[in-house]
């Protein structure tokens, strides 16, 4: 009999805390079983965080989360050979379920509580296994993100903000609310049929609606199992029901589920303003990695200056964070750098360099327009530690992905105006899906000029012939590297070519946007491939 072990770093501390609480019959007043999911997060009121004694007669061991799920199952009557096929796969791969359950542990109580409040089938708590395998940073080829895999449009439709700093599709609490709102809408739209609603969550209400109308015209039944749906959707609902069947009766399928107490794991703390996530982790006395895992909606090194201003932290750390925050007024929660503007500087380049946004620089400095003058001083918000410490931020996750060793030769390609993934993939004789995967993208994601893509290929000769970044040079290939250069006042192609000992022709080939241009503009970004063994003037 296989065993799905859930005694992980995530829940061991919770179980230990639970044991201590039961022994002393002490309960945090701020952590209550309430009716909404936001309430299930037990939002901390800073004035009421003192533990309160609970009379011994009210002490009882909490219910197991799996038992609560089983008690709320509503779809178990559905049987089909497609379910049996998926169930057999899960029985053969208990290690997969083990990994998924470990990732789900911090989030499960939050989801289950919200389902209970709404009276929805508890099988839906297992839907993130099908959608994302409970990976909070999951991103699909269809541009879907987060545990619940919202695409951008549907996310906005259900109130999930998506900015440079923050993506509500990955915010565990907000995305859970939105996903259940969407499923309830679909349930009403399809006259109370949960399987139709689930199928529509995967492929869209229009797709399912057309399949139903098609069957009606042909005099066929319109239940989910008889509909002509996309292949992915035909496998989507059976997979959820197979997992539900396994959870409903683990011994019958050769698995044992370790008990998870049906208690809140995470609690929401209102921090009130933008805060560096490294500082927040330090104040909560947890690792920065855990801070990102509990709050995957934040893309960068800090929370969004425009909110939300709440952070999810383990229950036992909420009071610690709340008390420590009192020592840090809003202006001390972000590190500020004084920067003297140089000739040729532009706000966009400065924002990219410091991993912040033009709008925030303008707001902090009381600017209305984008013009800056050499010699003026700007206050720029920056991360308090080296950026590589924030390894689960969006930029660092991408860098880790792009630097992952793979087969073949690695080529770095800088996107130019008018480029598309399809064009680049065709040039290198690779698949669009593969190219997108290497670069943490979806095939339909827009390409921004200046972005660097990585490409892995075994056809070095073809690469040299078609990619300006790989034109053959008179020096050894392994001695040249790509650099970025910002044009300064007084620069010309001739001066730059002399400084870096490259030809004007190569400069033009490496930078297509220079074709037909007579003059360079200060602040313009150029790409150069230079011999690192040679010495240059100041870059």
């Amino acid at each position: 009999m296989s065993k799905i072990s859930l005694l992980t770093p995530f829940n061991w501390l919770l179980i230990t805390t639970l044991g201590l609480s039961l022994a002393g019959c002490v309960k945090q007043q701020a952590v209550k079983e309430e009716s909404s999911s936001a309430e299930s997060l037990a939002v901390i009121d800073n004035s009421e965080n003192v533990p309160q004694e609970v009379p011994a007669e009210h002490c009882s061991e909490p219910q197991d989360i799996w038992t609560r799920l089983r008690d709320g199952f509503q779809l178990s009557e559905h049987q089909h050979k497609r379910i049996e096929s998926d169930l057999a796969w899960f029985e053969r791969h208990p290690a997969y379920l083990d990994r998924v359950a470990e990732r789900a542990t911090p989030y499960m109580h939050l989801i289950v509580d919200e389902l209970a409040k709404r009276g929805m089938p508890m099988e839906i708590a297992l839907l993130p296994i099908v959608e994302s395998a409970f990976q909070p940073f999951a991103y699909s080829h269809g541009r879907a993100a987060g545990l619940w895999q919202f695409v951008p449009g549907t996310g906005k439709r259900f109130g999930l903000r998506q900015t440079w700093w923050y993506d509500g599709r990955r915010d565990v609490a907000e995305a859970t609310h939105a996903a259940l709102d969407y499923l309830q809408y679909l349930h009403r739209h399809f006259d109370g049929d949960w399987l139709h609603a689930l199928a529509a969550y995967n492929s869209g209400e229009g797709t399912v609606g057309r399949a139903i109308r098609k069957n009606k015209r042909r005099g066929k039944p319109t239940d989910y199992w008889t509909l002509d749906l996309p292949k992915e959707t035909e496998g989507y609902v059976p997979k959820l029901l197979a997992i539900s069947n396994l959870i409903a009766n683990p011994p019958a399928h050769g698995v044992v589920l370790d008990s998870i107490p049906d208690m809140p794991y995470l609690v929401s703390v209102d921090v009130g303003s933008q805060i560096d996530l490294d500082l927040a982790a330090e104040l909560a006395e947890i690792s920065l990695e855990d801070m990102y895992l509990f709050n995957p909606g934040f893309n960068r090194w800090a929370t969004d200056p425009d909110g939300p201003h709440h952070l999810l932290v383990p229950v036992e750390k909420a009071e610690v964070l709340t008390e420590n925050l009192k020592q840090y007024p809003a202006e001390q929660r972000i590190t500020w750098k004084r920067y003297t503007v140089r000739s040729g500087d532009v706000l966009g380049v400065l924002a990219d360099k410091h991993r912040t946004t033009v709008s925030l620089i303008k707001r902090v400095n009381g600017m209305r327009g984008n013009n800056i003058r050499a010699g003026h001083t700007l206050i720029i918000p920056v991360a308090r530690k080296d950026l590589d410490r924030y390894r689960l931020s969006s930029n660092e996750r991408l860098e880790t992905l792009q630097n992952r060793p793979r087969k073949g030769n690695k080529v770095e390609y800088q996107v130019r105006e008018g480029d598309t993934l399809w064009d680049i993939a065709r040039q290198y004789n690779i698949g669009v899906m593969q190219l997108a995967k290497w670069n943490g993208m979806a095939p339909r994601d827009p390409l921004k000029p200046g972005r660097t893509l990585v490409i892995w290929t075994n056809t070095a000769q073809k690469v040299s012939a078609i990619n300006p970044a790989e034109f053959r040079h008179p020096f050894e290939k392994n001695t040249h590297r790509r650099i970025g250069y910002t044009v300064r006042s007084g620069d010309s192609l001739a001066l730059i070519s002399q400084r870096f000992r490259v030809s004007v022709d190569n400069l033009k080939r490496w930078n297509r946007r220079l074709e037909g241009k007579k003059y360079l503009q200060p602040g313009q970004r150029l790409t150069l491939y230079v011999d690192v063994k040679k010495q240059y003037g100041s870059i």
Side-chain angles (χ1 to χ4, degrees):
M1 179 175 290
S2 301
K3 183 176 182 180
I4 298 180
S5 174
L6 297 180
L7 289 179
T8 68
F10 280 127
N11 59 15
W12 177 253
L13 184 56
L14 178 60
I15 293 172
T16 303
T17 304
L18 170 63
L20 293 174
S21 298
L22 290 174
C25 288
V26 175
K27 183 178 182 181
Q28 289 284 351
Q29 181 66 28
V31 181
K32 300 177 181 178
E33 294 285 356
E34 306 237 346
S35 57
S36 77
S37 129
E39 290 129 69
S40 81
L41 292 175
V43 178
I44 290 294
D45 181 339
N46 293 346
S47 65
E48 300 181 1
N49 285 332
V50 180
Q52 301 293 322
E53 292 240 351
V54 179
E57 61 268 22
H58 295 296
C59 295
S60 61
E61 188 171 348
Q63 181 176 250
D64 180 86
I65 198 77
W66 304 115
T67 300
R68 189 177 180 191
L69 280 177
R70 295 182 197 108
D71 290 345
F73 280 175
Q74 299 178 26
L75 308 177
S76 58
E77 74 278 6
H78 294 283
Q79 301 294 326
H80 197 274
K81 61 183 180 181
R82 279 189 257 166
I83 299 176
E84 296 302 320
S85 174
D86 283 319
L87 186 55
W89 188 92
F90 287 116
E91 290 172 348
R92 294 194 306 270
H93 298 85
Y96 170 79
L97 290 173
D98 196 0
R99 294 192 300 273
V100 170
E102 179 180 350
R103 290 193 290 263
T105 300
Y107 319 122
M108 187 61 81
H109 184 273
L110 182 159
I111 297 170
V112 169
D113 250 22
E114 185 64 19
L115 287 168
K117 171 200 168 186
R118 300 174 185 231
M120 296 172 70
M122 283 294 174
E123 287 91 343
I124 293 172
L126 305 171
L127 193 60
I129 298 178
V130 181
E131 286 287 351
S132 62
F134 269 103
Q135 297 185 50
F137 300 109
Y139 190 64
S140 78
H141 64 271
R143 304 184 70 198
L147 296 182
W148 295 95
Q149 290 288 280
F150 273 100
V151 295
T154 307
K156 291 176 183 176
R157 175 182 169 190
F158 286 90
L160 298 176
R161 290 178 58 243
Q162 296 156 56
T163 70
W164 187 84
W165 293 97
Y166 168 80
D167 191 338
R169 297 177 300 161
R170 293 199 308 269
D171 184 313
V172 177
E174 295 301 322
T176 295
H177 294 152
L180 301 193
D181 286 346
Y182 187 24
L183 284 163
Q184 285 185 312
Y185 160 78
L186 293 170
H187 184 243
R188 293 190 298 270
H189 182 78
F190 290 105
D191 301 322
D193 190 311
W194 275 115
L195 298 198
H196 285 166
L198 288 164
Y201 187 89
N202 175 252
S203 61
E205 60 209 75
T207 299
V208 177
R210 285 189 293 273
I212 291 173
R213 291 191 294 272
K214 180 180 177 181
N215 275 23
K216 283 182 177 179
R217 288 195 303 269
R218 297 182 177 183
K220 294 182 177 181
T222 58
D223 62 282
Y224 165 80
W225 304 105
T226 60
L227 296 181
D228 183 14
L229 295 168
K231 185 176 181 181
E232 179 183 328
T233 309
E234 287 185 350
Y236 183 81
V237 175
K239 187 177 295 184
L240 173 64
L241 296 178
I243 298 168
S244 303
N245 284 352
L246 187 148
I247 299 298
N249 191 357
H253 303 289
V255 298
V256 175
L257 303 177
D258 283 328
S259 176
I260 302 178
D262 183 19
M263 293 182 66
Y265 187 98
L266 298 173
V267 59
S268 181
V269 175
D270 185 355
V271 298
S273 65
Q274 186 182 32
I275 187 169
D276 189 303
L277 289 171
D278 181 71
L279 174 62
E282 183 179 299
L283 298 182
E285 298 179 0
I286 63 176
S287 70
L288 181 55
E289 180 176 344
D290 279 350
M291 182 60 76
Y292 275 110
L293 289 172
F294 300 148
N295 301 276
F298 294 113
N299 294 329
R300 311 296 169 181
W301 49 268
T303 60
D304 191 327
D306 296 320
H309 297 309
H310 61 250
L311 291 173
L312 295 182
V313 297
V315 170
E316 66 277 7
K317 296 297 184 181
E319 186 176 357
V320 174
L321 174 58
T322 301
E323 289 303 312
N324 287 338
L325 277 170
K326 294 177 182 178
Q327 310 303 316
Y328 280 84
E331 63 273 13
Q332 294 181 21
R333 297 176 182 179
I334 295 294
T335 302
W336 308 93
K337 174 182 179 180
R338 286 185 171 275
Y339 179 82
T340 302
V341 177
R342 301 171 184 173
S343 179
D345 278 343
V346 293
L347 276 180
V349 174
L350 289 179
D352 286 345
K353 178 181 178 181
H354 293 96
R355 300 282 177 90
T356 187
T357 58
V358 170
S359 62
L360 185 56
I361 294 177
K362 290 170 63 176
R363 182 192 308 176
V364 169
N365 291 276
M367 299 169 58
R368 293 185 178 180
N370 292 328
N371 293 331
I372 52 178
R373 294 182 180 179
H376 283 197
T377 299
L378 294 176
I379 303 298
I380 301 178
V382 295
R384 70 196 293 253
K385 299 285 181 64
D386 291 339
L387 287 169
D388 57 5
R389 175 172 171 76
Y390 302 77
R391 66 185 193 88
L392 289 183
S393 68
S394 178
N395 294 84
E396 300 308 313
R397 293 198 313 271
L398 175 59
E399 185 172 328
T400 298
L401 176 66
Q402 290 184 326
N403 288 327
R404 184 178 300 167
R406 304 180 190 276
K407 293 181 179 180
N409 302 311
K410 181 181 177 181
V411 174
E412 291 188 353
Y413 181 93
Q414 188 170 47
V415 176
R416 296 162 177 79
E417 195 74 41
D419 275 345
T420 66
L421 279 180
W422 187 84
D423 288 332
I424 298 169
R426 185 178 62 171
Q427 286 180 349
Y428 286 88
N429 195 28
I430 56 176
V432 172
M433 292 286 289
Q434 188 66 71
L435 177 59
K437 185 177 180 180
W438 289 333
N439 293 280
M441 301 176 64
R444 292 186 290 113
D445 279 349
L447 276 181
K448 182 181 178 181
R451 174 172 182 170
T452 299
L453 301 180
V454 298
I455 300 166
W456 294 85
T457 177
N458 291 317
T459 55
Q461 181 64 39
K462 183 176 179 62
V463 172
S464 297
I466 61 177
N467 182 16
E470 292 294 321
F471 279 115
R472 292 186 176 181
H473 295 267
F475 45 81
E476 290 291 327
K477 180 179 176 181
N478 62 5
T479 69
H480 90 281
R481 67 181 174 91
R482 180 177 61 83
I483 66 169
Y485 178 76
T486 302
V487 175
R488 303 171 185 175
S489 180
D491 272 344
S492 67
L493 287 177
L495 286 173
I496 296 171
S497 68
Q498 291 172 15
R499 180 180 300 168
F500 293 99
R501 301 181 187 180
V502 297
S503 71
V504 171
D505 286 342
N506 272 344
L507 277 174
K508 291 180 178 179
R509 285 192 289 182
W510 297 331
N511 299 274
R512 289 181 184 174
R513 57 187 177 276
L514 295 180
E515 293 177 5
K517 298 288 181 66
K518 190 174 181 180
Y519 300 106
L520 297 176
Q521 299 296 323
Q524 186 175 357
R525 292 285 292 175
L526 300 181
T527 297
L528 294 82
Y529 295 85
V530 301
D531 187 345
V532 296
K533 289 185 177 181
K534 296 180 180 179
Q535 300 297 316
Y536 305 98
S538 173
I539 295 178

